[in-house]
Amino acid sequence: MGDDIIEVDCLVIGAGPAGSVTAREAARGGWNVLLIEKRPEIGVPVRCGEGVSRELLDMVGLDRKGRYVSSEMDGAKIVSPNGTVLTLGPEIAGPEVGFVIERETFDQELAKQAARAGARIWVRADAVSFERVGGKARVDVIHNNERKTVEAKIVVAADGFESLVARWAGIDTSLEMKDIDTCIQYEMVGIDTDDRFTEFFIGRCYVPGGYVWCFPKGPGIANVGLGVNASMLEGTADPKRYLDEFIRKNPRFSKGRITEINGGGVSVSLPLEETVDDNLIIVGDAARMIDPLTGGGIYNACHAAIQAGRTINEALEKGDFSREALEPYETRWRERLEMEMARNYLAKEKMLQVSDETLDKIVSAIAEYDPKEISTEELLKALSSKYPEVMEELGGLL
Ligand code: FAD
């Protein structure tokens, strides 16, 4: 048993993208940073569709040709319930899905960058408590079965969707069922993929309150998965049933073989109302920063992490770790993400009610036009003259 207290400037809990990028940015300022991860290997097991925007790699400073890139996409295809396909080119889809990555390698690369910048890393290190003592934060960590106490000026809660650290610090992180999607995904081999396009199948006929994705990772290989809104799961039904049904009914997929199964929860909520407190910053999924419409969270996590790193550097420089000193983080990440998340949250709420017939009409109306050639306003006019009832059903959303 080690009774000594380990003192650091910044303790980052969780070595997902949010934690590693925050640790890297803080360590680049020359501070004493400790990044801890409860799993024995960073990034493993993967629980992710691995679709990311073009912007992401540039934002985190990773080369687009790295080993963590599995394939580059030309765009995305949206498939409506009756099979109508809307093809979106890179200028429209790129901000959402530009690459399919190797998440394990991606997470490990970010952690290595943190280490190269000077952060210490402990794996098999599980944070189990949080308290404030004498103006600092104290966290007990079970590291390789040994209990250790770490005292930090600033603790970063980057512990993902199932986050406990913020809750220990007294912050309400609870979610309503309608604000959670339960996801399952298979890696499949021997299927018909469209190697240059990600595909999204939307509509209740595929899955209630969510969508099915197919993100290609090479000829005949793809991540095929879905998210179901937890409020729409009937009885004890589990999302696997919907995925198996989708695959069984679709000859492109039913001939394939499953080589991996993974899954997990994502929040499809608004972000936490407060993401800073005395000695504490909350980043990424732990702060409920996942996009509520797409379920994608890596970009938002990394964007917020960069803002967190910048704020940590300034606070340590000033020697002030109070809530007020950490508040610039709150302003900075909200500036870029908050409006978009609020708009997509409204869209998600609406999508939970929209019928398959309406989705068919929307997709077919948009598919008739080249989105490059038509403005959103013109598109809406066209939609309302062709299907006035759709505009009524969607109310103010469009
Ligand atoms: P995480 O990546 O979850 O990292 C948190 C880390 O903290 C974990 O490594 C965990 O082990 C560690 N940890 C937790 N508790 C402790 C503790 N007490 N002590 C120490 N360590 C701890 N997003 C996209 O952008 N694109 C996609 O295609 C996509 N597909 C998805 C598919 C599925 C099935 C799921 C579940 C999610 C998907 N997401 C996707 C969301 C994306 O995975 C997350 O938004 C992203 O991982 C957020 O990063 P993070 O660092 O905040 O959290």
Side-chain angles (χ1 to χ4, degrees):
M1 289 290 283
D3 292 321
D4 293 345
I5 293 181
I6 297 149
E7 290 188 33
V8 296
D9 293 317
C10 178
L11 170 68
V12 182
I13 302 173
S20 289
V21 172
T22 310
R24 179 188 77 181
E25 297 300 303
R28 281 181 178 165
W31 305 104
N32 179 358
V33 177
L34 175 61
L35 170 63
I36 64 166
E37 168 55 50
K38 71 176 175 186
R39 297 187 279 179
E41 193 179 353
I42 289 168
V44 180
V46 173
R47 293 193 303 178
C48 187
E50 304 179 302
V52 299
S53 65
R54 278 172 197 275
E55 250 183 299
L56 172 81
L57 297 181
D58 301 341
M59 181 178 70
V60 294
L62 289 183
D63 184 354
R64 291 181 175 197
K65 301 259 178 282
R67 279 190 312 122
Y68 37 78
V69 174
S70 170
S71 41
E72 187 168 355
M73 298 290 105
D74 284 341
K77 291 187 174 176
I78 314 279
V79 185
S80 83
N82 69 8
T84 306
V85 180
L86 169 63
T87 304
L88 301 170
E91 63 294 330
I92 306 267
E96 294 301 337
V97 190
F99 295 103
V100 181
I101 57 170
E102 297 293 347
R103 183 66 200 270
E104 181 182 324
T105 318
F106 175 80
D107 282 19
Q108 289 174 2
E109 179 59 32
L110 291 177
K112 280 179 195 154
Q113 288 196 351
R116 277 188 219 113
R120 261 186 299 163
I121 301 183
W122 291 353
V123 291
R124 282 179 101 209
D126 190 0
V128 293
S129 68
F130 175 98
E131 60 175 337
R132 292 187 183 85
V133 181
K136 291 192 182 166
R138 240 183 226 182
V139 173
D140 279 356
V141 180
I142 310 294
H143 182 209
N144 287 327
N145 300 324
E146 193 185 332
R147 196 175 191 101
K148 297 176 179 171
T149 301
V150 180
E151 196 169 81
K153 295 168 183 162
I154 301 171
V155 166
V156 178
D159 51 338
F161 172 73
E162 284 124 17
S163 171
L164 291 173
V165 178
R167 208 187 306 166
W168 294 330
I171 291 172
D172 180 13
T173 58
S174 59
L175 289 165
E176 288 181 51
M177 293 299 267
K178 71 176 178 59
D179 288 341
I180 300 173
D181 274 5
T182 310
C183 305
I184 179 153
Q185 173 178 273
Y186 299 153
E187 182 187 77
M188 297 194 72
V189 176
I191 58 176
D192 287 342
T193 49
D194 189 335
D195 292 338
R196 305 297 300 179
F197 285 86
T198 52
E199 291 176 277
F200 298 84
F201 299 80
I202 55 167
R204 279 163 200 257
C205 66
Y206 304 120
V207 56
Y211 63 85
V212 179
W213 66 80
C214 172
F215 293 171
K217 295 190 74 175
I221 306 174
N223 289 332
V224 183
L226 58 75
V228 194
N229 191 271
S231 70
M232 291 186 156
L233 274 176
E234 292 152 18
T236 55
D238 77 295
K240 185 175 180 302
R241 190 178 59 121
Y242 294 104
L243 188 55
D244 290 340
E245 186 74 357
F246 172 83
I247 290 168
R248 193 181 58 77
K249 282 186 184 159
N250 194 322
R252 278 180 57 202
F253 298 104
S254 58
K255 61 183 178 177
R257 297 279 176 270
I258 297 165
T259 50
E260 197 180 298
I261 302 181
N262 62 67
V266 294
S267 57
V268 286
S269 63
L270 290 169
L272 291 184
E273 281 176 18
E274 295 170 305
T275 59
V276 291
D277 203 343
D278 293 335
N279 315 98
L280 181 71
I281 282 189
I282 313 165
V283 189
D285 284 13
R288 312 297 181 217
M289 286 176 179
I290 289 187
D291 183 299
L293 188 59
T294 65
I298 304 171
Y299 178 90
N300 290 2
C302 292
H303 172 78
I306 290 170
Q307 310 313 318
R310 192 174 148 200
T311 310
I312 290 165
N313 273 295
E314 291 165 359
L316 289 171
E317 196 75 52
K318 277 193 279 180
D320 183 353
F321 330 111
S322 65
R323 179 199 187 91
E324 290 70 37
L326 300 177
E327 235 145 40
Y329 163 67
E330 191 93 73
T331 317
R332 286 167 179 159
W333 76 257
R334 285 185 195 278
E335 233 166 56
R336 165 70 182 80
L337 302 177
E338 193 170 37
M339 278 295 285
E340 189 174 293
M341 284 192 68
R343 189 192 63 208
N344 286 357
Y345 182 73
L346 280 180
K348 178 235 36 177
E349 296 275 281
K350 212 53 160 180
M351 291 298 279
L352 289 179
Q353 295 148 20
V354 168
S355 63
D356 280 5
E357 293 69 35
T358 301
L359 282 176
D360 283 329
K361 287 175 186 169
I362 298 171
V363 171
S364 73
I366 301 175
E368 280 174 24
Y369 297 94
D370 179 348
K372 281 199 298 287
E373 315 256 297
I374 185 167
S375 71
T376 311
E377 200 181 331
E378 286 167 323
L379 195 61
L380 293 180
K381 269 193 208 146
L383 188 60
S384 71
S385 71
K386 199 165 175 193
Y387 300 117
E389 71 282 8
V390 169
M391 296 301 275
E392 209 162 291
E393 188 176 338
L394 294 181
L397 178 70
L398 287 175

